[in-house]
Amino acid sequence: MAMKIGEKPFFDRVDDALDDTFMHQSMANAQDGLRGKKIAATEGDEAIGDWEDWRSAGEEIRRHTLENLDYYLEQLSENFAKRGGHVFFAETAEEANAYIQQVAKEKNAKNATKSKSMVTEEIGLNEALADVGCQVHETDLAEYILQAEEGDRPSHIVVPSLHKNKSQIRDTLKEKAGYSGTDQPEELTAFARSQLRDVFMNADIGITGCNFGVAETGTVSLVTNEGNANMVTSYPETQISVMGMERLVPTWEDLDVMVNLLSRSAVGQKITTYVTNVTPEVGLQSVDGPKDFHLVIVDGGRSKALGTEFQSALHCIRCAACVNVCPVYRHIGGHAYGSIYQGPIGAVLSPILGGYEEYGELPYASSLCAACTEACPVKIPLHEQLIRHRQIYVEEGYADKSEQAAMTAFGIGASTPSLFKIATKGAPTFAKPFVHEGSISNGPGPMKLWTKIREFPAPGKENFRKWFKEHKKGDS
Amino acid sequence: MSKGTIHNRDKFLSHIADRLGREQKTDVSRPDWKYQPQWAVYQEKTSDELCALFNENSEEKGTHVLETTMDQLEETVEYVMKTYDGSPMVATDDERFAEFGLTDVFDKNNVHIWDAESGERNIEKAKQANIGFLFSDVSLAESGTIAQFNDRNIARSVSLLPTTYTAFIPKSTIVPRMTQVTARIHKQGGDGENISPYINFITGPSNSADIEMNMVVGVHGPVKAVHIVILDA
């Protein structure tokens, strides 16, 4: 399953999303709410000074880190191992899963608890562990809900079960987990808490992602609100943290800046309820700490962006600020992207990680309004990267053949004055069968998809050249 | 714990250097950042102002704040015990409880002190507890956050498992924001000191807004939080 969501083609997924009225309302509410909180905690918070300076600070740190990624990964791994931790560098999802499966087998692990982590979702870790007889229990409330509804997947990077309403959640928990209460969030949450308490205590392995690895001390930093990451990192004997290879900062001072950018941009908080920083112990043998700590660092296609115009996409800190301002995401929701990474950053990252064959259409799910670029706390030029993806998609021959032929014909016509003149003169006549009340609502060929969701203005009888000639005459 | 292991590193890092179009780097100096807005936040505030901000921001996160003097500390603790359902209770194994004169009130009320030597029994005690008592090592005015440097005695479970956590905040521990704490840890790391294996920033009770964006507290960790601010400076 891994990174991909659903088997349907992109436009079928979009059609499904456009028919889902609850989802539209939910996305709109979430975007408005999260964006409002973000603005209050960023431009609206005088105490932190100029938010643009914070964005510049974030960009500066991320750029330097990525430009020296090999050095800082070496430093991180060295310091982690110095304190007794085990580091595994995995080029692929398969390598990462095989290593984690091996650890699970050595520990004879039957149960693992997991706190929310996009990278473990990306590599399909739950299924891999199930294959060796270890059941993974999702403990983040939203992920717990999605896991109960077998086969459901995240629709937002920060609030993954956004597409489900409280009645649906109640029904799922009734059917799958023996819940008997109402659809009040407090009651549903209390049920999840009571179910998960024992699960936390009895797990053999605790699995987390890694918001930031701190190179100078070999620390895994987790930025959360619920406290489940604390439970997961405290009670199982073995801890495994899985980290996308770009998710690190050189020092603790840099961590301060990144946590501030993440908390304020993601959920509009000055800091999240928990910022938990775990480093392997040096013979301390705490009662409530892991005895064995593994850090799995995953490439998974990320290195394809290094040294290219997409390198800055790896600066992303997964705050979803771009998702929360995107007009396209607002209409089609997360599942339509077909990837666990949605919205503008999803449309940039997914083709890099999963290829153009699978995700090449996603960069077209953008209005190129640049709201995403403006929202990004580390200044990734998202809309420019979306355009570049589109260029590569066409150059490498992935675009629809009829569209390519139409564009080639347009290119020839537009660059040949005589042909252009004939075409503009003849356009009203050719378009006539499709025109209804001054516009085209069911166009032929390449116009078909465009006119499916909006109207195309009918070509005017008076073309621009003629109009210009006459007005120029009038001036003279 | 013995020294750990590292697998597949050389090939992995060499591939990254290749992609970046250069030789693998063995030495990098972190630049002096051009932008460092974090240092300016609340730099002009007095200790009293930082304390007021800490209290205000704690309350904003749903934390019950009590300000008290050393003389009235024991009385304040008794009040908290009564208000938040009393026994069973648990506290970290921390010398500061004695330094702040809290040994008697803990003894009198049967507060279980974390005892690393007795192992798992401590976790059971913390799970059952109505209240967990702990000290904040550094406290952040900007957000009403406590920072704890946990180890085998200053156990993380005490802030996590009981229904209510009660943190003692000596006023002298209050700093503007996270910047001051991370600078301190950065210095420790640079000086080659071992940092705490578990550095925990906590801001109020655990919470989630995952169901239709409704805020609910106590998802996995504590349901209530109390900050006792001690005017020691």
Side-chain angles (χ1 to χ4, degrees):
Chain A
M1 195 145 62
M3 190 171 135
K4 191 177 174 188
I5 292 181
E7 293 299 330
K8 288 184 179 177
F10 177 59
F11 283 105
D12 289 355
R13 297 195 303 263
V14 170
D15 282 343
D16 288 349
L18 292 173
D19 291 339
D20 189 340
T21 324
F22 165 76
M23 190 272 295
H24 290 157
Q25 197 53 50
S26 179
M27 297 297 146
N29 289 345
Q31 276 196 329
D32 294 345
L34 287 167
R35 192 177 175 206
K37 283 181 188 169
K38 185 213 163 187
I39 289 169
T42 55
E43 293 103 313
D45 186 354
E46 283 178 19
I48 58 164
D50 188 346
W51 178 245
E52 288 307 307
D53 285 350
W54 284 92
R55 291 180 74 210
S56 299
E59 184 196 21
E60 206 179 359
I61 293 168
R62 293 302 288 142
R63 185 182 300 280
H64 169 77
T65 308
L66 264 296
E67 282 170 358
N68 299 286
L69 188 60
D70 48 344
Y71 174 77
Y72 286 118
L73 281 174
E74 179 165 25
Q75 194 186 22
L76 174 80
S77 56
E78 202 60 38
N79 287 321
F80 192 87
K82 205 185 284 175
R83 293 178 56 116
H86 304 285
V87 187
F88 185 85
F89 285 89
E91 282 183 22
T92 63
E94 291 74 21
E95 281 180 20
N97 286 333
Y99 177 78
I100 298 167
Q101 284 175 324
Q102 187 59 36
V103 173
K105 282 196 265 186
E106 279 168 15
K107 305 285 173 187
N108 195 25
K110 301 291 172 221
N111 288 289
T113 44
K114 179 148 84 70
S115 79
K116 178 177 170 284
S117 150
M118 297 303 286
V119 68
T120 58
E121 192 80 25
E122 177 190 317
I123 64 174
L125 181 58
N126 290 12
E127 293 78 12
L129 279 174
D131 288 345
V132 293
C134 180
Q135 191 190 349
V136 178
H137 303 269
E138 295 286 354
T139 63
D140 173 87
L141 182 59
E143 296 284 357
Y144 168 79
I145 292 163
L146 294 182
Q147 191 175 42
E149 181 78 71
E150 290 151 33
D152 203 353
R153 305 295 306 279
S155 62
H156 188 279
I157 294 168
V158 175
V159 275
S161 65
L162 193 60
H163 56 287
K164 301 191 78 69
N165 66 32
K166 57 188 183 183
S167 304
Q168 290 169 327
I169 294 168
R170 177 202 59 204
D171 294 344
T172 299
L173 294 184
K174 271 187 177 175
E175 195 185 323
K176 310 278 185 180
Y179 177 66
S180 58
T182 70
D183 65 0
Q184 287 309 299
E186 292 78 7
E187 221 176 314
L188 291 161
T189 303
F191 175 76
R193 177 188 169 99
S194 67
Q195 293 283 301
L196 286 169
R197 271 272 161 142
D198 284 342
V199 175
F200 282 124
M201 296 297 164
N202 295 318
D204 306 302
I205 297 178
I207 301 168
T208 74
C210 171
N211 287 99
F212 301 103
V214 187
E216 70 173 340
T217 53
T219 301
V220 169
S221 183
L222 303 162
V223 181
T224 66
N225 271 318
E226 294 185 4
N228 57 321
N230 299 57
M231 301 291 258
V232 163
T233 54
S234 295
Y235 303 110
E237 285 227 339
T238 300
Q239 182 184 338
I240 302 172
S241 292
V242 187
M243 170 186 160
M245 69 173 193
E246 79 285 14
R247 302 299 296 277
L248 83 169
V249 289
T251 72
W252 279 81
E253 289 186 329
D254 308 319
L255 178 71
D256 167 37
V257 175
M258 302 321 297
V259 166
N260 189 67
L261 289 169
L262 176 57
S263 305
R264 288 176 189 266
S265 302
V267 280
Q269 290 173 240
K270 290 170 184 165
I271 191 169
T272 51
T273 304
Y274 294 98
V275 179
T276 312
N277 305 283
V278 201
T279 317
E281 297 200 13
V282 197
L284 276 176
Q285 296 295 304
S286 295
V287 177
D288 53 357
K291 308 291 178 280
D292 193 20
F293 193 174
H294 300 258
L295 176 62
V296 180
I297 300 171
V298 180
D299 179 331
R302 288 161 173 77
S303 56
K304 285 185 272 179
L306 293 174
T308 74
E309 60 266 65
F310 296 112
Q311 184 168 311
S312 66
L314 301 181
H315 295 181
C316 175
I317 56 172
R318 307 286 190 270
C319 68
C322 61
V323 178
N324 296 333
V325 295
C326 179
V328 175
Y329 178 89
R330 190 179 186 93
H331 287 284
I332 66 173
H335 284 166
Y337 287 83
S339 164
I340 59 158
Y341 298 115
Q342 307 96 9
I345 187 62
V348 170
L349 274 181
S350 303
I352 296 169
L353 302 181
Y356 286 98
E357 180 80 41
E358 193 73 65
Y359 300 106
E361 287 170 312
L362 295 191
Y364 291 88
S366 168
S367 60
L368 300 181
C369 61
C372 48
T373 299
E374 201 179 300
C376 178
V378 288
K379 295 189 171 179
I380 304 169
L382 288 160
H383 72 291
E384 289 173 14
Q385 297 194 351
L386 289 168
I387 294 171
R388 184 68 190 120
H389 268 318
R390 291 181 187 188
Q391 285 173 338
I392 295 171
Y393 188 73
V394 172
E395 281 165 13
E396 294 192 358
Y398 290 105
D400 183 71
K401 299 295 172 207
S402 63
E403 189 184 332
Q404 283 187 55
M407 288 301 166
T408 306
F410 178 78
I412 294 167
S415 58
T416 313
S418 55
L419 284 176
F420 190 77
K421 193 175 175 185
I422 293 166
T424 50
K425 204 172 172 186
T429 312
F430 294 131
K432 203 171 179 183
F434 306 100
V435 175
H436 181 66
E437 292 180 0
S439 60
I440 300 171
S441 52
N442 186 17
M447 284 174 70
K448 203 172 179 64
L449 280 173
W450 172 279
T451 53
K452 193 175 170 188
I453 46 177
R454 35 173 136 44
E455 296 195 330
F456 192 86
K461 282 178 186 159
E462 184 185 38
N463 70 35
F464 176 73
R465 286 182 177 201
K466 195 176 163 198
W467 176 91
F468 185 74
K469 213 171 173 182
E470 279 168 11
H471 282 70
K472 207 177 167 191
K473 260 187 207 164
D475 284 346
S476 58
Chain B
M1 193 178 275
S2 60
K3 191 178 184 303
T5 54
I6 301 174
H7 305 273
N8 295 349
R9 186 170 67 183
D10 293 348
K11 192 175 157 220
F12 192 98
L13 297 186
S14 155
H15 175 62
I16 289 175
D18 278 353
R19 292 293 311 176
L20 288 167
R22 55 165 173 73
E23 292 291 305
Q24 207 173 313
K25 286 195 178 176
T26 53
D27 192 25
V28 170
S29 296
R30 190 177 63 126
D32 289 330
W33 304 123
K34 191 173 162 200
Y35 295 93
Q36 300 189 50
Q38 66 272 34
W39 292 102
V41 180
Y42 294 149
Q43 64 167 351
E44 79 295 353
K45 300 284 183 202
T46 64
S47 170
D48 285 347
E49 287 169 334
L50 289 177
C51 187
L53 276 166
F54 177 83
N55 294 349
E56 185 185 321
N57 287 312
S58 297
E59 282 172 351
E60 197 178 284
K61 299 303 289 184
T63 302
H64 183 179
V65 179
L66 296 154
E67 206 173 75
T68 188
T69 59
M70 287 292 283
D71 290 346
Q72 293 172 325
L73 182 55
E74 197 172 309
E75 198 182 315
T76 307
V77 174
E78 294 266 19
Y79 168 79
V80 169
M81 288 174 172
K82 197 174 157 197
T83 307
Y84 292 92
D85 301 330
S87 290
M89 294 178 278
V90 63
T92 54
D93 180 10
D94 192 326
E95 288 170 357
R96 284 171 290 187
F97 288 122
E99 287 167 21
F100 280 78
L102 291 165
T103 311
D104 287 348
V105 72
F106 278 10
D107 284 349
K108 196 167 73 179
N109 289 283
N110 296 317
V111 175
H112 171 78
I113 307 296
W114 190 271
D115 173 17
E117 301 308 320
S118 67
E120 298 273 324
R121 195 173 71 92
N122 289 284
I123 295 175
E124 276 310 307
K125 291 273 186 189
K127 256 170 78 182
Q128 303 305 325
N130 287 323
I131 310 173
F133 291 105
L134 54 130
F135 263 89
S136 171
D137 290 303
V138 193
S139 316
L140 317 185
E142 182 195 38
S143 50
T145 302
I146 60 166
Q148 259 208 311
F149 301 114
N150 296 108
D151 59 27
R152 70 195 300 258
N153 300 316
I154 312 291
R156 56 187 90 171
S157 295
V158 174
S159 67
L160 187 62
L161 295 179
T163 310
T164 302
Y165 83 76
T166 296
F168 294 92
I169 325 284
K171 187 181 165 192
S172 55
T173 66
I174 302 176
V175 297
R177 66 185 312 281
M178 195 173 165
T179 305
Q180 287 70 29
V181 192
T182 51
R184 177 173 143 185
I185 303 165
H186 171 57
K187 188 171 181 310
Q188 272 183 300
D191 291 348
E193 287 177 44
N194 269 327
I195 63 161
S196 158
Y198 207 82
I199 298 173
N200 207 358
F201 292 85
I202 309 169
T203 313
S206 82
N207 63 71
S208 170
D210 276 341
I211 302 175
E212 292 192 13
M213 304 302 287
N214 289 296
M215 179 63 75
V216 180
V217 295
V219 193
H220 300 293
V223 181
K224 294 172 188 165
V226 180
H227 286 172
I228 300 178
V229 179
I230 308 164
L231 302 174
D232 67 332

